Amino acid sequence: DDLGLGAQGSRVAGREERDDVDRRTIEAAGTEGLGHGGADLLDRLALDDNGFVWASISRKVDGTQAAPGVMVIDPVNNQARTFTSANGLPSNELYDLVKDQTGDIWAATLLGVARLSGPGGAFLPDATFLTPNVTKGEGTGFPALWNTAVRAIAVDGANRKWFGTDEGLWLFSADANEALLHFTRENSPLPSNRIVDVAVNDRTGDVWIATDGGVVSYRGSATITAGGPSCTKASPNPVRPDYTGLMGISGLSNNAL
């Protein structure tokens, strides 16, 4: 069944069966009080591998009440709960939600990023988001992008994380324990350091970056094979014995290397 999300008081949606629509009311523990500037302002959505719907609550603009964070909805069992800074989020002000290649849920917040591993257990009492700690390279010993406004997240074919911030574009390892690249206006063609959105073309690996000063793209190095692998191709081909540069290989099964 299709799922429609809206708001009715403190409810997430109303169930109303017609020929062309199926709307569901979810009145679960943990959603109290969301009707006032809460569930009526759902912002970003992510769907996990369990069929759960993850929704961020739109950020407050009137300053009267902090945004409630993230809501997760199980439409099959008709239940919902929220995650806030009390459940591991660096901040209740959310900018983006994504599911990565392993099924984990990542949240971009005003004060950094956090991951919830194994979202199938989201309704367990001890379920919590965790902030990844940097263990290699720049920032070692600190949470990844600690106290940094992260506006957007994109996941590439290698499950690496592209984070758009007010201080440029970052590429982190799959677990966000190592910063691999940091693009700014000063060291790259970025027209502005304030990143608005990031998207990855899984077929080509191209990374598209929207800033408040324009849009640019970057030729990434990770892709996803759609369907079955085709004939593998390598470039350059042939490779001469004295060649020391990069090689490109296409047509491999996902995670073949």
Side-chain angles (χ1 to χ4, degrees), residues 67-81:
V70 177
M71 180 190 299
V72 58
I73 301 147
D74 176 359
V76 174
N77 295 306
N78 205 46
Q79 59 181 335
R81 68 169 289 186

Side-chain angles (χ1 to χ4, degrees), residues 21-61:
V21 68
D22 178 13
R23 296 175 181 159
R24 303 184 181 189
T25 296
I26 300 175
E27 302 177 76
T31 62
E32 300 88 347
L34 290 178
H36 179 66
D40 53 339
L41 293 174
L42 297 179
D43 188 11
R44 298 299 183 103
L45 292 177
L47 307 179
D48 70 20
D49 295 332
N50 309 285
F52 298 164
V53 181
W54 295 78
S56 66
I57 310 302
S58 183
R59 297 174 301 283
K60 296 294 177 184
V61 296

Side-chain angles (χ1 to χ4, degrees), residues 82-153:
T82 58
F83 290 86
T84 68
S85 56
N87 310 109
L89 289 173
S91 167
N92 288 335
E93 295 191 41
L94 272 288
Y95 287 95
D96 207 358
L97 280 174
V98 300
K99 182 193 77 169
D100 72 9
Q101 304 290 356
T102 65
D104 293 346
I105 299 297
W106 289 77
T109 83
L110 180 67
L111 298 176
V113 299
R115 174 180 68 175
L116 189 140
S117 297
F123 294 96
L124 298 176
D126 59 349
T128 185
F129 278 84
L130 296 175
T131 299
N133 288 312
V134 179
T135 59
K136 300 177 183 178
E138 181 181 352
T140 294
F142 292 92
L145 299 177
W146 182 57
N147 278 349
T148 299
V150 182
R151 310 285 181 178
I153 305 176

Side-chain angles (χ1 to χ4, degrees), residues 132-201:
N133 288 312
V134 179
T135 59
K136 300 177 183 178
E138 181 181 352
T140 294
F142 292 92
L145 299 177
W146 182 57
N147 278 349
T148 299
V150 182
R151 310 285 181 178
I153 305 176
V155 181
D156 69 15
N159 204 32
R160 300 176 304 182
K161 309 304 183 295
W162 293 84
F163 297 123
T165 75
D166 289 347
E167 302 168 9
L169 178 70
W170 292 82
L171 173 62
F172 273 76
S173 59
D175 293 330
N177 63 355
E178 181 182 8
L180 304 175
L181 295 171
H182 182 202
F183 296 106
T184 66
R185 182 178 180 179
E186 291 71 32
N187 67 9
S188 75
L190 281 176
S192 168
N193 284 336
R194 184 179 173 87
I195 310 301
V196 177
D197 205 355
V198 185
V200 177
N201 185 325

